[in-house]
Amino acid sequence: MSSFYLCSKNHSIVGQMDTYLAFHRDSDTPHNHPSQRHVHSQTNKEDRIFGEKAPHLAFNPTFPSNPNLSEESSRPNYLNNSPTSPYHLGRDVPSDEALNKIKTANSVTISPELFEKIYLNPQKEVKGELRNTFGNPTPLALLGFLLSLSPLSCELMGWRGAGGDGIATIGAYYFIGGFLMSLGGILEFFLGNTFSFVVFCSFGGFWFTLGATLTPSFNAYGAYASDPNNIATGLTSPQFHASFGFFLLFMGLLSFIYLICALRTNLIFVAIFLGLLLVFVVLTGSYWQLAAGNTVMAQKLQVAAGAFGFMAVMAGWWIFFAQMLASVDFPFQLPVGDISHLIVAGSERVKQKERFSA
């Protein structure tokens, strides 16, 4: 009787050891699901009841050794019946590492066409992640340009009896054109967009200059007044017109340089700078015709300058609308005519030469 009791007890201990080792072998197998492991455990328990060892399990006389950290890290975590997420902010992954993984996973690589549509700047590598951290300042600067030049173009064309060389909208030159374009240009600088930074800041300075020239307290045209008691007569002075024409001429030269650079971006941006080039050149001719006393020709040139400006702002409104649609991930996008592929980048040419010479 006692012999039978000892035999049964030993058999029970061996069975429990078998069950323990089988459980750990199942846990170490990455393909086993928790529900499957539960089924195996129940099956093994039933096998032990009948005093039989499961045919699919082999007895291992050694206990599991200390786990290898490299192997342990590759095993799934069945805590709460779900594997550990690589971005889990818990004890398995440090918080700073998880945040870095999330940032990397959320980084999006966009095409050169979309990049140039959004930033109006040829795509190039810059250090830092500011573009993924802060908003895009390009639409803000572009809006300052549009809300200043759009009414001025209509005034130059004399629509609905408008006139006065744009004096009526002088406030927009300061607080919309000058301020918004300069602010947007500075923010483009921090994002590493050199072309957009220079373009926006230079035109922001232009609107500040135009506003200051038309402001009486700056005495820009008052110095040319024939009547000291009426400084407004300076606006009709031939010397003032001839002098201010040079400023417009060199703004046209600047627009020509921007036009050449815009050939690396898109057709809409090219149309904007082409329109601005014609605006400044024709408006320079208008001021010089006024200085020469040819008021009829000067008026015609002024209307033509307003028409070219209107062409530029229509292209600007188009690309501004395209940028705003892209900013909210709208279901459809407006085409801007990407032409960056027509002119091979200088860095790419250098790489091709090095590849051929190697």
Side-chain angles (χ1 to χ4, degrees):
M1 183 72 179
S2 61
S3 174
F4 176 79
Y5 172 76
L6 292 175
C7 181
S8 300
K9 184 176 182 180
N10 291 338
H11 184 79
S12 175
I13 294 174
V14 172
Q16 291 178 4
M17 183 182 297
D18 250 353
T19 304
Y20 174 80
L21 296 177
F23 174 81
H24 279 278
R25 279 197 300 274
D26 292 344
S27 300
D28 290 342
T29 305
H31 301 289
N32 287 344
H33 192 272
S35 60
Q36 296 174 352
R37 187 174 65 233
H38 178 71
V39 172
H40 289 317
S41 299
Q42 293 295 331
T43 304
N44 296 336
K45 183 177 180 181
E46 294 174 359
D47 290 343
R48 297 302 173 271
I49 293 175
F50 291 97
E52 297 176 359
K53 187 167 62 175
H56 59 278
L57 297 176
F59 175 73
N60 187 352
T62 60
F63 286 95
S65 59
N66 292 332
N68 190 325
L69 294 179
S70 61
E71 295 177 357
E72 187 71 15
S73 60
S74 63
R75 297 173 184 172
N77 187 350
Y78 291 104
L79 185 62
N80 297 327
N81 295 331
S82 62
T84 303
S85 169
Y87 311 123
H88 172 63
L89 299 181
R91 62 181 183 180
D92 299 313
V93 180
S95 59
D96 55 344
E97 179 182 351
L99 290 175
N100 185 53
K101 289 182 178 180
I102 293 174
K103 183 185 296 184
T104 303
N106 291 341
S107 300
V108 179
T109 302
I110 62 177
S111 64
E113 179 182 3
L114 181 58
F115 184 91
E116 289 154 11
K117 176 194 295 186
I118 295 175
Y119 291 99
L120 304 182
N121 195 83
Q123 188 177 21
K124 58 186 301 184
E125 295 182 0
V126 294
K127 295 182 179 180
E129 295 291 334
L130 293 180
R131 287 173 181 162
N132 298 329
T133 305
F134 299 103
N136 179 19
T138 306
L140 178 67
L142 190 58
L143 184 63
F145 166 76
L146 295 173
L147 291 180
S148 300
L149 186 56
S150 296
L152 178 59
S153 299
C154 297
E155 293 171 20
L156 292 177
M157 289 186 290
W159 284 1
R160 301 190 62 83
D165 295 331
I167 296 179
T169 52
I170 189 173
Y173 306 154
Y174 281 115
F175 301 108
I176 297 180
F179 176 71
L180 292 185
M181 293 199 73
S182 298
L183 176 62
I186 293 173
L187 296 178
E188 294 279 3
F189 165 78
F190 288 109
L191 295 183
N193 301 330
T194 303
F195 183 55
S196 301
F197 155 63
V198 176
V199 169
F200 292 149
C201 284
S202 61
F203 275 96
F206 165 77
W207 290 117
F208 276 128
T209 302
L210 181 60
T213 302
L214 299 177
T215 302
S217 59
F218 279 86
N219 204 35
Y221 57 84
Y224 296 92
S226 57
D227 184 2
N229 297 323
N230 185 13
I231 61 173
T233 57
L235 289 172
T236 60
S237 170
Q239 288 182 325
F240 171 76
H241 291 147
S243 300
F244 193 70
F246 283 106
F247 172 65
L248 297 174
L249 177 64
F250 287 105
M251 282 300 301
L253 175 61
L254 183 63
S255 299
F256 175 73
I257 295 174
Y258 290 158
L259 173 61
I260 300 301
C261 296
L263 295 176
R264 285 274 296 126
T265 58
N266 55 71
L267 287 176
I268 300 298
F269 217 26
V270 169
I272 292 175
F273 285 120
L274 178 61
L276 290 175
L277 170 62
L278 297 174
V279 167
F280 289 122
V281 171
V282 175
L283 204 57
T284 299
S286 175
Y287 271 84
W288 283 350
Q289 288 295 324
L290 282 175
N294 300 326
T295 55
V296 176
M297 178 59 67
Q299 182 63 28
K300 292 181 180 179
L301 291 175
Q302 179 176 304
V303 173
F308 288 128
F310 192 77
M311 179 191 77
V313 296
M314 287 299 101
W317 283 112
W318 177 273
I319 200 168
F320 173 77
F321 190 25
Q323 289 180 331
M324 295 308 295
L325 290 177
S327 68
V328 296
D329 196 18
F330 213 72
F332 67 88
Q333 300 293 327
L334 295 179
V336 295
D338 176 52
I339 56 174
S340 59
H341 59 280
L342 298 180
I343 302 178
V344 181
S347 58
E348 187 63 28
R349 290 179 180 272
V350 173
K351 291 180 181 178
Q352 291 177 357
K353 290 182 179 179
E354 293 177 351
R355 196 178 301 118
F356 289 138
S357 60

